[in-house]
């Protein structure tokens, strides 16, 4: 579960993106990443634990 402060920071970054007219999910994600790294967050890519495909 994500702590309330982290969730608030992410929500604020999404609001910044929307305030700048960014609506596309990929572009919003880029703005969010930029906003969070600008204030010192370190973002890493979580690799899946297994290469197995999920059942359909």
């Amino acid at each position: 579960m994500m702590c309330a402060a982290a969730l608030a920071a992410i929500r604020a970054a999404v609001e910044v993106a929307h305030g700048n007219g960014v609506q596309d999910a990929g572009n919003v994600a880029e703005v969010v990443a930029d906003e969070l790294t600008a204030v010192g967050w370190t973002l890493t890519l979580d690799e899946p634990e297994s290469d197995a495909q999920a059942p359909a």
Side-chain angles (χ1 to χ4, degrees), residues 9-55:
I10 293 168
R11 284 183 175 156
V14 170
E15 288 180 13
V16 167
H18 288 170
N20 288 330
V22 178
Q23 297 296 319
D24 176 71
N27 292 338
V28 169
E30 186 176 335
V31 171
V32 168
D34 288 347
E35 289 290 317
L36 296 178
T37 56
V39 295
W41 284 39
T42 300
L43 305 177
T44 59
L45 178 62
D46 242 359
E47 294 295 331
E49 292 182 21
S50 169
D51 289 339
Q53 299 248 346

